Amino acid sequence: DISKIESGKMTVTPTDIDIHTILTSSLTMIREKAIKHGIETSVQIDKEMPQILRADERKLKQVLYNLLSNAAKFTDDGGSITLSAKMVSRNWIESRVPEIFKVDCLSVLGESGEPFCLISVSDTGIGIKLEDIKKIFTAFEQVESSASRRYGGTGLGLALCKSFLEMHHGSIWVESELDQGSTFTLVLPYVHANTI
Ligand code: ADP
């Protein structure tokens, strides 16, 4: 997938996606592992948000699966993982995106006044050091080497997530505190089907 993106051969095939269905089915993919480790999972979807999002279903599922499996991988037994979704404006994003992601994020979102679908994956896991936060979206970066050795992985997942979201004129960032947990947040414009 990475080499396809780099050679410009990765295409986006948007369809109408039901947000509720895609979130609950993504969570199902990690539920067995979560139960085995006593990790509680939950979904919170804002009732006010439009249910249909226009996006590439396979790519969005891959992004969610990657974020959720990382959350499960880096959360100790007895922790929790929360998946939530709501509608936000560009102004909201501008005021909330952490400073280190701001330029990157706002440049891909563009200037349109259209609403965005925000999906976040929060965990109570090992967290990420401040100095490592930006690196993890770069291919082959695994910042917690002892945990990575313990749990495996390629260091490619988040780089792919970022590329897939940017192909939709969307973005991703993370907020985290060491030993407390992490929240990965992605934003996707609702109405952009004509532009991809
Ligand atoms: P990997 O296949 O190694 O998980 P990713 O690109 O998905 O590759 O993640 C890169 C690195 O980011 C991970 O190796 C880990 O160091 C860090 N990371 C990702 N998600 C989390 C998380 N939920 N909690 C703590 N660290 C994380």
Side-chain angles (χ1 to χ4, degrees), residues 11-163:
T11 52
V12 174
T13 312
T15 56
D16 286 345
I17 299 170
D18 182 282
I19 293 170
H20 199 279
T21 307
I22 200 163
L23 294 189
T24 45
S25 71
S26 303
L27 206 51
T28 308
M29 294 195 271
I30 62 147
R31 186 154 293 143
E32 207 176 305
K33 182 174 181 185
I35 289 171
K36 199 170 142 201
H37 291 274
I39 297 172
E40 215 173 280
T41 57
S42 59
V43 189
Q44 293 168 357
I45 302 174
D46 188 339
K47 289 189 188 70
E48 306 284 297
M49 76 184 293
Q51 277 308 297
I52 303 296
L53 174 74
R54 189 113 181 125
D56 185 317
E57 185 168 1
R58 184 192 151 252
K59 292 187 178 62
L60 184 56
K61 273 188 177 158
Q62 202 170 327
V63 168
L64 292 173
Y65 178 64
N66 193 78
L67 296 179
L68 286 166
S69 46
N70 276 348
K73 182 159 80 171
F74 295 108
T75 298
D76 285 334
D77 292 14
S80 66
I81 297 172
T82 307
L83 185 56
S84 41
K86 63 181 172 186
M87 183 170 73
V88 295
S89 66
R90 192 186 187 283
N91 281 348
W92 188 97
I93 297 170
E94 202 169 334
S95 66
R96 297 291 286 268
V97 61
E99 210 50 47
I100 50 165
F101 291 102
K102 210 168 209 167
V103 174
D104 244 29
C105 172
L106 295 178
S107 66
V108 283
L109 298 188
E111 295 295 334
S112 105
E114 285 159 5
F116 290 82
C117 169
L118 176 149
I119 299 173
S120 64
V121 177
S122 293
D123 65 55
T124 58
I126 61 169
I128 303 158
K129 284 197 213 99
L130 195 59
E131 68 256 37
D132 293 331
I133 268 185
K134 198 107 197 242
K135 287 189 208 157
I136 61 171
F137 293 98
T138 306
F140 302 113
E141 286 284 356
Q142 293 175 303
V143 294
E144 182 36 80
S145 55
S146 59
S148 298
R149 268 202 298 277
R150 200 169 130 207
Y151 298 108
T154 59
L156 280 172
L158 290 173
L160 259 183
C161 289
K162 186 167 185 277
S163 296

